[in-house]
Amino acid sequence: MTGPQHPQYPQQPYGGRPGYPPPPKKSNTTWIVLAVVAVVLLCGIGGCIAVLGKAGEEVSKSLDAAASSINSAAPTAPETPGAPIPPLTPGSSTGKGKNITYEIISDAADLNSVTYFDGNSELQQEISATAPWTKSVTNDSTVAIIGLGAQTNGSSVTCRIIVDGKVADEQTSTGKYAVVNCTASAF
């Protein structure tokens, strides 16, 4: 007997490890597919951008044409160089003011807030008002803004607006810390 027999492995290429097959060659197929997909996406997005850009140009041209048409048709005011524009001033009173009475009634004496429009249609607010609450104003504006809102610390609150002796609006709200709003029109 000449000694133990070892199985014969095929001759490995230079740098290979004996007993193991050579590593498989990597395929470039995955990279090729990814590159094709990227090119298709870029072309698709580029095409959309081109179409949108062209549509934007057309809209811009249409708007420019409409603006120049309006400008050419509009009458122009004579210009007086150096003449200042006078400030806006309220018109004179017609003597036909609206007499407005605001009222708030609540089941609690304390109101968190009351908000109303005064005689100049300016918004006013009273914090920590007490119920029943009443405010009377005269509004000489051409179009009077009339509104009232309140929040109670109780569970029921009612607002009422009386314009020239007639009830114009009345609302009631219930629930913990109820909020109520009334509005009226006066032309």
Side-chain angles (χ1 to χ4, degrees), residues 92-135:
S92 58
S93 173
T94 60
K96 297 180 181 179
K98 300 290 182 183
N99 294 316
I100 303 163
T101 303
Y102 297 117
E103 297 177 351
I104 300 289
I105 303 165
S106 177
D107 65 344
D110 294 333
L111 299 170
N112 275 341
S113 65
V114 174
T115 306
Y116 64 96
F117 287 97
D118 67 9
N120 296 319
S121 297
E122 298 280 336
L123 193 62
Q124 302 296 324
Q125 186 171 34
E126 291 185 19
I127 307 289
S128 300
T130 57
W133 178 90
T134 301
K135 177 71 81 175

Side-chain angles (χ1 to χ4, degrees), residues 129-154:
T130 57
W133 178 90
T134 301
K135 177 71 81 175
S136 292
V137 298
T138 300
N139 193 317
D140 291 328
S141 302
T142 304
V143 178
I145 300 175
I146 304 172
L148 172 66
Q151 181 180 19
T152 182
N153 283 328

Side-chain angles (χ1 to χ4, degrees), residues 8-162:
Q8 285 292 346
Y9 293 107
Q11 181 70 26
Q12 294 297 319
Y14 180 75
R17 295 181 10 199
Y20 293 99
K25 290 186 178 181
K26 292 187 179 182
S27 172
N28 289 334
T29 307
T30 302
W31 289 109
I32 292 171
V33 170
L34 287 175
V36 169
V37 168
V39 168
V40 168
L41 283 175
L42 288 175
C43 289
I45 291 171
C48 288
I49 290 172
V51 168
L52 290 175
K54 185 65 175 172
E57 287 176 22
E58 294 298 321
V59 168
S60 178
K61 287 178 186 175
S62 296
L63 289 175
D64 289 343
S68 65
S69 170
I70 289 171
N71 287 338
S72 65
T76 57
E79 290 186 26
T80 53
I85 298 173
L88 292 176
T89 56
S92 58
S93 173
T94 60
K96 297 180 181 179
K98 300 290 182 183
N99 294 316
I100 303 163
T101 303
Y102 297 117
E103 297 177 351
I104 300 289
I105 303 165
S106 177
D107 65 344
D110 294 333
L111 299 170
N112 275 341
S113 65
V114 174
T115 306
Y116 64 96
F117 287 97
D118 67 9
N120 296 319
S121 297
E122 298 280 336
L123 193 62
Q124 302 296 324
Q125 186 171 34
E126 291 185 19
I127 307 289
S128 300
T130 57
W133 178 90
T134 301
K135 177 71 81 175
S136 292
V137 298
T138 300
N139 193 317
D140 291 328
S141 302
T142 304
V143 178
I145 300 175
I146 304 172
L148 172 66
Q151 181 180 19
T152 182
N153 283 328
S155 60
S156 176
V157 63
T158 298
C159 65
R160 181 180 301 129
I161 298 176
I162 302 168

